[in-house]
Amino acid sequence: MTNWTFVGAGNMASSLIGGLLNNGARTSDLSVVDTSADARNAMQSRFGVTAYEDIAQTPNGNGVVIAVKPHIVEPVCRAMQALNPPLVVSVAAGVSAESMQVWLPDKTAIVRCMPNTPALLGLGATALYANTNCSTEQKQCATTLLSTAGATAWVNEESALDAITALSGSGPAYFFLLIEKMSEAAQALGLSEELSQQFAIQTAFGAASMAKQGEHAPATLRENVTSKGGTTAAALAKFESEGFGDIVKQAMQAAHDRAQALGKEFGSS
């Protein structure tokens, strides 16, 4: 499948459309739906794709990517009853495939996925879940689509997406917070704001790059830079005594629980 209609003209739709075009897709194969005239005009100007105000105006036979806020998913799905799309891919947080199936035509192939914001740079991490109506070919189409935004992986249980939300979906904000606080702490030690932020960001980038190489596990990399009685050991000991590990667990549990609550809030039941 090479023809896609994106419902919603936000950052995630833009990143996926840009990725598809960079990988050889034709503008004539892609379209966008958004109720905002400004958003439609921006997508047409940036990518040259056709933009519509109403999903009923879009070509039949296209796969549909739902890239809207959770509370808009139900009306979007109900508006697709006449289209009977061959595949629906949802990047909306919280709303389950089971709920979407209630609102969509019977036996619709649905892929629900959880990307994260680095997808905007092609550096995302996206987990995907397919309902039982999806064929192997349709799953491959979804993989091809989301791979334009970074790494992908399939999960067998939809409930795993709540854990993925807590890990990679919300995860970029955790690292941004750490960078922010490291920069503030460096300034308190006498460094300039510019230098503090520059080096905090570069340190995060360098550490992540070393971990991504996969030559050593993160724990081994941490041990390698931690000399007994040295500065790093002193810092890590303080993290440990202040309950850093427990804080991370509690924060991710909170994100996980909120993802489940969103599913109930915007679901079909």
Side-chain angles (χ1 to χ4, degrees):
M1 180 183 303
T2 58
N3 293 33
W4 293 100
T5 294
F6 292 80
V7 184
N11 288 333
M12 193 55 63
S14 295
S15 68
L16 293 174
I17 289 172
L20 288 170
L21 292 174
N22 289 337
N23 283 274
R26 301 176 301 178
T27 56
S28 58
D29 295 336
L30 307 175
S31 57
V32 176
V33 178
D34 201 287
T35 56
S36 166
D38 288 342
R40 295 195 302 273
N41 292 335
M43 294 296 269
Q44 288 175 319
S45 298
R46 181 177 179 185
F47 297 115
V49 298
T50 304
Y52 302 93
E53 183 178 4
D54 191 327
I55 194 170
Q57 301 170 317
T58 62
N60 285 322
N62 280 15
V64 175
V65 180
I66 300 177
V68 297
K69 299 295 185 182
H71 68 281
I72 305 177
V73 174
E74 180 177 357
V76 166
C77 289
R78 293 192 182 281
M80 281 191 267
Q81 285 290 340
L83 290 179
N84 197 25
L87 175 62
V88 172
V89 176
S90 174
V91 299
V95 185
S96 70
E98 182 180 4
S99 291
M100 285 187 282
Q101 183 62 87
V102 172
W103 308 321
L104 288 164
D106 190 35
K107 296 183 179 179
T108 297
I110 301 170
V111 170
R112 184 181 160 214
C113 53
M114 175 49 60
N116 59 8
T117 53
L120 304 176
L121 301 178
L123 297 172
T126 303
L128 304 95
Y129 165 80
N131 72 354
T132 56
N133 299 324
C134 283
S135 66
T136 300
E137 181 181 2
Q138 288 169 323
K139 289 179 66 175
Q140 183 56 53
C141 287
T143 298
T144 300
L145 170 68
L146 273 303
S147 291
T148 65
T152 61
W154 287 90
V155 295
N156 295 323
E157 301 294 333
E158 187 170 12
S159 59
L161 292 182
D162 294 328
I164 291 291
T165 298
L167 175 61
S168 58
S170 299
Y174 312 158
F175 290 97
F176 297 147
L177 177 62
L178 182 58
I179 290 170
E180 180 184 354
K181 295 306 178 183
M182 286 178 64
S183 177
E184 290 176 358
Q187 291 173 60
L189 294 172
L191 298 181
S192 69
E193 179 180 359
E194 181 181 3
L195 181 60
S196 297
Q197 182 167 298
Q198 177 189 354
F199 271 43
I201 292 171
Q202 184 63 27
T203 300
F205 177 76
S209 298
M210 290 182 69
K212 186 173 174 59
Q213 285 183 343
E215 184 177 351
H216 300 290
T220 301
L221 292 172
R222 172 179 52 78
E223 292 167 357
N224 288 346
V225 77
T226 307
S227 302
K228 185 176 181 180
T231 58
T232 306
L236 294 180
K238 189 62 177 179
F239 276 131
E240 186 67 26
S241 67
E242 295 294 326
F244 182 73
D246 289 336
I247 291 172
V248 172
K249 287 181 181 179
Q250 292 168 20
M252 290 181 61
Q253 186 68 54
H256 173 273
D257 294 348
R258 181 55 183 156
Q260 289 188 328
L262 284 172
K264 295 177 181 178
E265 183 177 352
F266 298 113
S268 61
S269 57

